[in-house]
Amino acid sequence: MLSTKKIAALTLALLAGAFLVITQTASSRGHAYKLEGAWTSSGGGILGNMTVAPADPSGRRATAKVNWVTVGPTVAWLQAQVDADAATDGNVVVEMISRDSAKYTQLLYWVKTGCPDEIKMIVIDSGTFTFTGPNRAVIQNAFAGYLPSRDANGDGLPDDLDNPPDLGPFPGSSVFTRIPMLP
């Protein structure tokens, strides 16, 4: 029969072993990236700046604002087909789906600039954001356009997202680089 001291020592040894196994297993999965910071986006003649603000302390969910500096020749041609001459800033929701990748959806508008601007196309872009390092990521995405007449209730989103878009979807990819803090 085991004494109380031996049972206590055995219990502590088992707990220490379990703790070691759990911590080593957790650390072997690698670093989990957080959604935060200021980024640039480039690819296919498109250039944008994105500011990401965590929506929870873990950094697993976030919102972002994308300022489109240039849209590139292909998107400019598509915009011209619907009589648009500019893209608005994009509003983004994003959520981590693994330690190094996230899924996102962005909403922006192609407009004919004026006073006031006239919405020519509601654009929804979605895809995955995959970290390739602490300060770089790539996206694989597809964007599609919906005519403003498909927003009968006026909330800025197409009312019938289950139906095919009026334009696209068009696949793409971009490289994101975190803006560094300079001395």
Side-chain angles (χ1 to χ4, degrees):
M1 188 150 105
L2 295 174
S3 71
T4 305
K5 286 183 181 181
K6 287 182 181 179
I7 292 174
L10 184 58
T11 301
L12 284 174
L14 286 172
L15 286 173
F19 177 77
L20 186 62
V21 168
I22 290 169
T23 57
Q24 291 303 311
T25 302
S27 67
S28 69
R29 288 187 232 152
H31 176 74
Y33 295 98
K34 287 187 175 185
L35 298 166
E36 59 190 7
W39 298 76
T40 64
S41 168
S42 61
I46 298 172
L47 178 64
N49 295 308
M50 179 174 70
T51 303
V52 182
D56 66 14
S58 73
R60 294 191 54 76
R61 291 180 306 133
T63 58
K65 182 69 108 180
V66 180
N67 169 258
W68 294 109
V69 179
T70 62
V71 295
T74 302
V75 174
W77 183 85
L78 288 169
Q79 286 178 332
Q81 303 311 300
V82 297
D83 196 30
D85 59 12
T88 66
D89 289 349
N91 286 303
V92 183
V93 294
V94 60
E95 182 175 354
M96 295 297 292
I97 56 175
S98 73
R99 69 173 190 78
D100 66 352
S101 62
K103 62 181 179 177
Y104 77 92
T105 300
Q106 174 183 199
L107 171 68
L108 64 130
Y109 305 93
W110 290 348
V111 297
K112 178 76 169 176
T113 54
C115 190
D117 292 346
E118 181 184 354
I119 296 173
K120 295 294 188 170
M121 191 67 66
I122 301 166
V123 179
I124 298 179
D125 171 41
S126 62
T128 57
F129 183 93
T130 304
F131 287 91
T132 58
N135 298 314
R136 294 198 41 99
V138 295
I139 67 163
Q140 297 296 318
N141 68 314
F143 72 91
Y146 301 83
L147 292 171
S149 60
R150 293 183 60 179
D151 178 22
N153 66 6
D155 67 358
L157 292 166
D159 300 327
D160 59 349
L161 284 170
D162 292 335
N163 291 319
D166 298 303
L167 186 67
F170 299 101
S173 63
S174 298
V175 174
F176 281 75
T177 305
R178 193 182 307 268
I179 299 171
M181 178 61 72
L182 298 176

